[in-house]
Amino acid sequence: MTAAAPPLMSVRRSILVLGLLEAFGPLSMDLYLPQLPRLAANLHTTDALAQATMSVCMVGLGLGQLVAGPLSDRFGRRRPLLVGVALFTVFSLACVFAPSVEVLLVARLLQGLAGSAGLVVTLAVARDLYSGAELSRMLSLLALVSASAPIVAPVAGGALALVLDWRGIFAVLTAIGAGLWLLAFTGLPETLPPASRHAGGMRVVGAHLRALARDPVYVLVVAAAAAGGTAFFAYLSMSSFVLQDGFGLSPQAFSLFFAANALANLVGAQVSRGLVLRLGPARLYLVGQLVTAAAALLLLAAVVLGWGAPGVLPALAAFLFASGLGGPNGTTLALGGHAVRAGTAAAVLGTVTFTVGPLIGPLAALGGTTTHATAVTIAGATGVAVVLAMLAALVMRRVAARA
């Protein structure tokens, strides 16, 4: 921990608050995921446009980080966070009253832009407090809280679907946003002292971006994260249609399966936390990417060979487990050499992760949201990610040899 870290009791409280703030993405997506087919029918729109309500929110969650991250380097972590969470609450309420899919798309984009502050500030605060293997362990620890959202949210969404329509789900999101704002206001201390903040302006931000671009490990890890984000978004946006329409799962059964996969992701993060001190973030990151690619190939084989749900569902669970194993270590490698620009580094990483997948994912579904399209997209994207991860490992090995 750095000298700027708050007292131990504050750190413990911060873990809870940061973990919940990191859940903005899962909460924004998973709570109404079981309602996507019904939303499409209610608004008299296509499956593709219903999926696009997720895409635009993820794009907002990504692009907004490019604003919130540098602002957190300039003004500290608390102020951008509190403004972002407040606006997330307002735009969640706007989703409740959206009269058409076009208005909903705009509201979801703004909701994502505002909620991005929670994601990027979480990583920046973690980097303020920790580095190296301890940062990886901290991120895995945060997953104990944040990964509970994709476990609880789809189950809660399936249960709420019995009594609420999709508008009611967004009303619940509004209440959650208000609660998170209050929790952040009362429970999150400032971790970036004034002496560590930059003077602001596009010149400083540009200098930080150039420094990131000159770091080959950062560039390769971010590119791999983009590919991994594409695979994850394919799973996230297509699974509701594939598993409910293709395999006949009810919204409640789908929610339970989705929650089980989120639990697998959480288990992977905790396995990482137990192994990282022994193996190191770089080696464990590469292992996670290799296992993810193997799980994606298993999924593709299950689809092509017609193994049905007994083959597809375990492969998806293995894919989520492996993603949890490598994820904290990729973030650690990306942020490791950029303590002075942690907000900006986290913003670029988050933007790429959240925007590339939603832009590519709908293209894969143009021919129909099918099991084959899902498997091919996941397998192709993870294949690209593992190649980039291997290149990053090679660069790090050469740097270590020179040292």
Side-chain angles (χ1 to χ4, degrees):
M1 293 180 59
T2 67
L8 181 59
M9 188 61 67
S10 295
V11 172
R12 289 173 176 169
R13 184 174 65 245
S14 297
I15 289 173
L16 173 63
V17 178
L18 291 173
L20 291 173
L21 290 171
E22 199 177 25
F24 262 112
L27 285 173
S28 300
M29 304 295 166
D30 302 346
L31 198 63
Y32 89 114
L33 189 58
Q35 293 273 16
L36 276 181
R38 296 180 184 178
L39 183 150
N42 181 258
L43 291 179
H44 308 290
T45 189
T46 63
D47 289 351
L49 279 178
Q51 287 178 268
T53 64
M54 297 182 62
S55 298
V56 296
C57 184
M58 286 195 73
V59 168
L61 285 167
L63 293 179
Q65 294 185 54
L66 289 177
V67 177
L71 285 178
S72 76
D73 285 339
R74 170 66 181 89
F75 296 105
R77 311 306 184 195
R78 274 177 57 88
R79 277 187 283 177
L81 173 66
L82 293 174
V83 171
V85 178
L87 290 175
F88 173 88
T89 305
V90 172
F91 295 129
S92 296
L93 185 61
C95 291
V96 176
F97 299 103
S100 66
V101 70
E102 290 80 10
V103 174
L104 181 61
L105 286 169
V106 173
R108 287 285 284 166
L109 175 63
L110 295 174
Q111 185 190 43
L113 288 169
S116 66
L119 299 173
V120 69
V121 170
T122 294
L123 292 182
V125 169
R127 183 60 187 89
D128 289 342
L129 300 177
Y130 296 95
S131 63
E134 288 301 328
L135 174 58
S136 177
R137 285 170 57 84
M138 173 65 166
L139 295 174
S140 297
L141 190 60
L142 289 179
L144 283 172
V145 181
S146 64
S148 297
I151 296 172
V152 174
V155 175
L160 289 171
L162 297 174
V163 294
L164 296 174
D165 62 5
W166 61 271
R167 295 183 189 274
I169 299 298
F170 281 113
V172 172
L173 268 178
T174 302
I176 291 173
L180 286 176
W181 185 91
L182 183 62
L183 189 63
F185 182 77
T186 59
L188 186 67
E190 179 59 67
T191 59
L192 187 68
S196 299
R197 302 172 193 175
H198 65 68
M202 292 304 299
R203 180 176 298 179
V204 175
V205 174
H208 284 176
L209 292 174
R210 287 192 295 273
L212 295 175
R214 288 193 297 268
D215 181 352
V217 173
Y218 181 85
V219 171
L220 288 168
V221 171
V222 167
T230 300
F232 181 76
F233 185 78
Y235 159 75
L236 187 66
S237 63
M238 296 181 182
S239 60
S240 177
F241 296 97
V242 168
L243 298 181
Q244 292 186 66
D245 297 339
F247 292 137
L249 271 65
S250 68
Q252 289 70 40
F254 167 75
S255 297
L256 289 173
F257 166 73
F258 199 84
N261 277 1
L263 180 60
N265 186 262
L266 172 59
V267 170
Q270 299 319 301
V271 170
S272 171
R273 183 169 177 261
L275 293 178
V276 70
L277 290 179
R278 187 191 317 169
L279 300 180
R283 186 180 302 176
L284 201 51
Y285 170 63
L286 185 57
V287 169
Q289 293 288 353
L290 289 169
V291 177
T292 302
L297 289 176
L298 178 62
L299 172 65
L300 185 60
V303 171
V304 172
L305 298 176
W307 295 347
V312 169
L313 300 185
L316 286 173
F319 166 71
L320 268 294
F321 169 84
S323 297
L325 183 66
N329 300 290
T331 303
T332 297
L333 295 178
L335 302 185
H338 301 285
V340 298
R341 59 187 71 87
T344 303
V348 174
L349 175 64
T351 296
V352 169
T353 302
F354 274 87
T355 56
V356 174
L359 292 174
I360 295 177
L363 298 178
L366 286 178
T369 307
T370 65
T371 309
H372 280 80
T374 304
V376 169
T377 304
I378 291 175
T382 53
V384 172
V386 76
V387 170
L388 292 168
M390 293 174 71
L391 289 174
L394 181 62
V395 171
M396 286 184 283
R397 193 174 296 121
R398 288 180 175 175
V399 170
R402 292 195 200 105

